[in-house]
């Protein structure tokens, strides 16, 4: 295995074994405009598994969310839309606000999750240089606007102005990106291993920005989305255009928890 791929896999393992892992999520609570109580009490919109019946309230007004803790000062919380979200900590619990196309939700994390649910580790296909693909980075004119569904049933609007085009097994393949940034291009895809050796809803793939009309897709770094590890994620699903008609035996395999 190449050193850089080994380092990438080690970083993936470290991320998923950390206190802030996706495996530590224990709740996702959609908010309503106005006041939303937080605590262990039955009348709370955000139900905590431990702690006081009333820890405080989240006040959602227009595009602002204020956290009003019991006996403390109110403060505004940033969502994950444009920056790192503001976390609110209570003992081993931590929560923050996620913005999904204008709908807000609280994502709740148990940072002591490994004490009751050990991390099972990750498995990969052997490294396969044949799945390091040099694709053409082709302009889509006019750009396409797609309504991409998520595992939580929401629709995410994506505008596609470029696509990665390559040939495999005598077939022309076109992959549409979910996002294109200055540092990376993000894809979601399915293939004939999905639901068998790999996660059924598909996998994620990130690539460096294109250079001189070419983009490098290293499927050895295809990885499971957050929803492979928790039911409290809101992952985008691959559009039909990104359903590959052949297996891609490269990258991360289906996660098998330590409980199975």
């Amino acid at each position: 295995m190449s050193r850089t791929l080994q380092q990438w896999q080690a970083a993936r393992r470290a991320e998923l074994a950390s206190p802030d892992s996706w495996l530590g999520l224990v709740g996702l609570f959609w908010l309503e405009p106005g006041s939303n109580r937080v605590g262990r009490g039955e009348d709370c919109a955000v139900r905590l598994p431990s702690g006081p019946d009333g820890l405080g309230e989240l006040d959602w007004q227009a595009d602002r969310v204020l956290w009003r803790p019991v006996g403390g000062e109110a403060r505004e919380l940033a969502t994950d839309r444009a920056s790192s979200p503001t976390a609110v900590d209570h003992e081993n619990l931590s929560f923050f606000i996620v913005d999904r196309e204008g709908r807000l939700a609280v994502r709740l994390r148990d940072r002591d999750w490994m004490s009751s649910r050990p991390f099972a580790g990750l498995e990969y296909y052997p490294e396969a240089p044949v799945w390091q693909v040099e694709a053409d980075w082709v302009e889509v004119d006019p750009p396409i606007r797609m309504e991409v569904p998520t595992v939580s049933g929401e629709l995410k609007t994506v505008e596609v102005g470029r696509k990665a085009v390559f040939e495999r097994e005598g077939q022309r393949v076109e992959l549409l990106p979910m996002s294109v940034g200055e540092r990376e291009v993000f894809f979601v895809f399915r293939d004939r291993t999905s639901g068998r050796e790999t996660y059924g809803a598909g996998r994620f793939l990130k690539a460096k920005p294109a250079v001189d009309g070419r983009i490098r897709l290293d499927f050895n770094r295809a990885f499971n989305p957050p929803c492979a590890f928790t039911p409290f994620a809101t992952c985008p699903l691959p559009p039909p255009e990104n359903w590959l008609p052949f297996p891609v035996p490269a990258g991360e395999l289906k996660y098998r928890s330590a409980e199975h």
Side-chain angles (χ1 to χ4, degrees), residues 109-131:
R109 172 177 282 128
D110 177 2
R111 302 188 80 251
D112 192 30
W113 64 273
M114 280 195 69
S115 64
S116 58
R117 208 154 36 91
F119 175 47
L122 297 170
E123 297 178 279
Y124 295 89
Y125 287 106
E127 183 177 12
V130 70
W131 287 107

Side-chain angles (χ1 to χ4, degrees), residues 192-213:
R192 289 292 178 86
T193 70
S194 301
R196 298 178 175 87
E197 294 92 3
T198 63
Y199 183 59
R203 288 181 287 171
F204 288 178
L205 180 65
K206 294 181 179 180
K208 292 182 179 179
V211 177
D212 296 329

